[in-house]
Structure formats: structure tokens, C-alpha cells
Amino acid sequence: MKKKVLLFLMALTMVISLAACGKKEEPAAPEAGTEGAAQEKEAAEAEEDTAQAEEKVEIKKIVTVLPNVRGDGGTHDLACRASESIAESIGAELDIVELGTAVTDSAKWEAAMCDLCEAGYDLIITGGSLMKDTIQTVAPMYPEMPFICYDVLLDFDTTDMENVYSMDFYQNEAAYMAGIIAANMTESNYVGFVGATKIPVIYDFMVGFIAGAQEVNPDIKVAVAFTNDFNDATLAKELALAQITDGADVLYPACGNAAAGVYEAARDREVYAVGNDQDVAAKYAQSDESIQKVILASVMKKVDNAVSSAYERYAAGELPFGTQETVGVAIDGAGVVKNDYYEEQLPDEVKKTVEEYEQKIKDGAVKVPTALGMEPEEIDEVINSAQ
């Protein structure tokens, strides 16, 4: 009997407790930013990350689109090299489309890009500042087509491009290091710059080069000339020879294929040059040692490494589409090529100075000026400051 009473009392107590609980107000859901909300958010993100990891990117066809032709000796050749390596590693089909050797009708480029977006490719790799308008016009029309873009600064603030990842390079930092080297090696305190077309990216090379040279010697003279063409090596050579005749004894080109003419001029007149856009000394060591011997060093935007890295991040589901990233000296995305040629050509004190300024850039102690965003009058002031 006592057992039955005890059970009855226990049951009654539970009922009363439940009734009391029912009268209590439900606790409010944790507000955003509280620990509970944070835990829920972390759990949701973890599930999303897991889902993305499980979803593998399948690439069967890639197209690389150049606003020039292969053989530019610079960024586009490096992009092609990366594209070929990617395609080979995953067994994908690769097409390389060359849009031409000169700036052309943007409407034609846009039409060509639209055709490629509809041709069954799984990935488009393209770049160069001349492609900016084409990318910003066409990419939003094909939101399911992923674009990996190199060496171009896109405007993600005004154009919706959630399918586009873009990287650009601090070419002004690479050119700054070229200026440091040139100013350390000149005997006449007079160096020369030969650019291609008068566009922001070429001006950026020029501004960086002048700043680096003036950092070493504020009174140094820098001759400036433009070919208005990326492929006219004959004209580039004529301009370089004119600078040499005027007293320049170290030259630095930023003019694509036309740079070959600058290197030839340096060889013919027995002065030095700083290579650009590729390892120029290594290139000529295989074809013309007489040119290789006048190359002090080379600076470059390491496009091949950057494109390959971008693809790896894309395949892993980690590429931040809809964003722009810039790489430079601080993470070895641009700068001096250091190899046997570099070690042999430059005196130890110059190499020490190179390392010093690389570290200053990394530390933020040196802020290299850029032509991007400069007004024409400001660019003229930079040129005039070195005359």
C-alpha cells in the first residue's frame, strides 16, 4: 500500500511540475551575435563547406583567350604556359584563342567572347588590361560560366560578376626594383624606359621604374619613349638607340614583343638592359648569348604561378569569385628573377640593396607610387621630374 501511495505522489509531483513549466515564458531565441547564434552559424557554415568539398569541379574543356597573339614574351605566354599545364594535369581539352596583334573593335571582341561562352567550355581563362571592357560586358550575360582573369583590374563595385575571379599585379613594384637595379649600375646617371601604348598599365611600369631610379639617385635622368605598339621591335630598337646616343647606359622596356628591339640595341651598343615580363637572360642564353650577357636581371609579374594557383583554389572550391586580388613583391607575386644569371651579373652590394628594398616594400616602409588613377597632368609631372 505504501508503495502505491509513493508512486501516486511521485506521479502527482511530475504533473504539477509539468503544469508549472507550461506557465513559464519560452526563452527568447538567441540574438545575432550571441554564443548560441554563433554556434548555429558555425554549424551551418560547416555543413556548407562539407557540401562544397563533396561537390567536385569537373573540367573537360578550357579556353584561354588572348587580347594579342602567342609569343608576346610576357604575361600572355605565361598564362598559356599555365593553361597547358592545368589541361595536361587534369586531362582536359584546351583551346587558345588569339584575338589579334592590335587593339581592335571592342564589339568584335565581345561577339567572339559570347561565341566562346556558348561553345561548351567549362572554364574561360583570359586577361590583360585590354580585355577589361569585354569581360565586364560579357561575363554578366553568362553567369554560369566561370572566368579566371589575370593581369586586369575589374570594377566589381559597378558590375555584377559573381562568376569572375580577377587578379592583378603590382607591376609598379616590379618596375621599381628594375629602377633600383638600373640606378645602381649606371655610370652616366642616365637610364632609359621604352613603353608600348600609353595605357594605365604601361604608365604604371614607367612610374614605378622612375621612382626606383630616383630612390637611389634623386638627380638621375630617365629618358621615356613609346612605340604605341606591342610588336614593333624595329621601332623599339630605333627609340632605344636614340636614348643610348643621348647618354643612357641602362634600358628597361615595357612593350611586349617589341622589347626584343631594346635588347638588341643594348647588345649592339654595349650597354645594359633590365629584362621585363619574363626571365630574359634565360631566354637568350638558349638563342643569343650576346644579348644574354647584357641583361643585368629581369623583373616580371609571375602570371603562370598565379593562374595555376587560382585554378587549384577553384578546383578545391576555395576561389573567391566576385572579387579582385592584387599580388606583388610582398608575396613574391612580382619582382626580380633571382637565378644564376642574376647572381653572376650583379655585384654583391647591388644584390644587397635589392634585398633591402624588397624588405622595405614587404614591411610597408616603402610605398611604391602607381599610375593607376593618376590624371594625365600627374603622369606628365612624373616624366618631367626625371628629365
Side-chain angles (χ1 to χ4, degrees):
M1 180 66 180
K2 289 182 180 180
K3 187 175 181 180
K4 291 182 179 179
V5 172
L6 181 59
L7 291 172
F8 172 77
L9 291 174
M10 289 175 64
L12 180 61
T13 300
M14 291 176 65
V15 170
I16 293 171
S17 297
L18 290 170
C21 289
K23 292 178 181 178
K24 290 182 181 178
E25 293 184 0
E26 290 294 327
E31 295 180 0
T34 66
E35 183 177 351
Q39 291 176 346
E40 291 179 5
K41 183 178 180 181
E42 289 177 2
E45 290 177 347
E47 291 180 4
E48 183 178 348
D49 290 342
T50 300
Q52 289 179 347
E54 292 175 351
E55 183 181 351
K56 294 182 179 180
V57 174
E58 186 176 9
I59 302 295
K60 295 182 179 180
K61 292 183 64 178
I62 302 172
V63 61
T64 297
V65 187
L66 310 179
N68 202 310
V69 295
R70 291 199 71 171
D72 75 319
T75 56
H76 301 308
D77 277 357
L78 292 172
C80 289
R81 182 187 304 172
S83 300
E84 288 169 341
S85 177
I86 291 166
E88 182 178 357
S89 67
I90 64 175
E93 178 183 339
L94 171 67
D95 289 327
I96 295 176
V97 175
E98 302 168 330
L99 294 180
T101 59
V103 179
T104 187
D105 185 350
S106 61
K108 294 180 180 178
W109 282 16
E110 290 168 11
M113 187 67 82
C114 286
D115 289 343
L116 293 171
C117 286
E118 297 173 2
Y121 292 103
D122 302 304
L123 174 66
I124 291 178
I125 297 173
T126 189
S129 58
L130 296 177
M131 287 296 293
K132 178 177 180 176
D133 291 342
T134 299
I135 295 166
Q136 293 190 167
T137 298
V138 176
M141 299 165 58
Y142 299 90
E144 301 303 316
M145 173 61 70
F147 283 73
I148 292 179
C149 302
Y150 61 88
D151 199 26
V152 58
L153 182 61
L154 300 180
D155 190 352
F156 287 91
D157 291 332
T158 61
T159 307
D160 185 12
M161 297 178 286
E162 294 301 316
N163 55 324
V164 176
Y165 165 77
S166 180
M167 72 188 89
D168 62 319
F169 300 80
Y170 291 125
Q171 60 266 334
N172 58 323
E173 292 184 356
Y176 183 87
M177 299 311 302
I180 293 289
I181 293 170
N184 271 281
M185 295 299 294
T186 180
E187 295 181 357
S188 64
N189 289 324
Y190 186 5
V191 297
F193 172 84
V194 178
T197 55
K198 297 179 180 180
I199 57 177
V201 66
I202 299 300
Y203 278 134
D204 210 28
F205 279 108
M206 180 199 73
V207 167
F209 179 69
I210 292 174
Q214 290 178 329
E215 176 68 22
V216 173
N217 179 0
D219 298 321
I220 197 169
K221 184 176 180 181
V222 184
V224 174
F226 295 91
T227 62
N228 293 315
D229 187 282
F230 282 89
N231 297 285
D232 193 340
T234 300
L235 176 57
K237 184 173 182 177
E238 292 175 1
L239 295 173
L241 288 171
Q243 292 178 346
I244 296 169
T245 299
D246 200 35
D249 61 356
V250 182
L251 307 178
Y252 175 61
C255 49
N257 287 340
V262 177
Y263 305 136
E264 290 175 6
R267 175 202 58 195
D268 294 350
R269 298 292 291 274
E270 298 182 342
V271 301
Y272 287 119
V274 178
N276 195 26
D277 283 340
Q278 62 179 315
D279 186 345
V280 176
K283 172 185 175 181
Y284 283 108
Q286 305 301 320
S287 60
D288 191 335
E289 290 188 2
S290 66
I291 291 181
Q292 179 264 311
K293 291 177 180 177
V294 303
I295 305 299
L296 290 171
S298 294
V299 298
M300 61 187 289
K301 295 179 282 188
K302 301 175 182 179
V303 173
D304 50 347
N305 293 340
V307 169
S308 295
S309 176
Y311 175 77
E312 290 172 3
R313 294 162 68 192
Y314 170 51
E318 299 171 354
L319 192 64
F321 282 100
T323 63
Q324 180 84 33
E325 292 185 329
T326 307
V327 297
V329 168
I331 61 170
D332 198 27
V336 181
V337 178
K338 296 181 179 179
N339 52 20
D340 291 343
Y341 306 110
Y342 170 82
E343 294 295 335
E344 293 170 2
Q345 286 283 54
L346 294 184
D348 289 341
E349 60 269 23
V350 177
K351 288 182 284 189
K352 184 177 180 181
T353 302
V354 167
E355 293 177 1
E356 174 188 344
Y357 277 95
E358 286 174 337
Q359 192 61 47
K360 285 183 177 182
I361 293 174
K362 292 176 183 178
D363 294 341
V366 167
K367 179 70 174 178
V368 179
T370 176
L372 304 181
M374 275 189 178
E375 297 296 330
E377 296 79 8
E378 295 176 290
I379 292 174
D380 288 340
E381 287 177 8
V382 172
I383 296 174
N384 293 333
S385 73
Q387 301 304 301

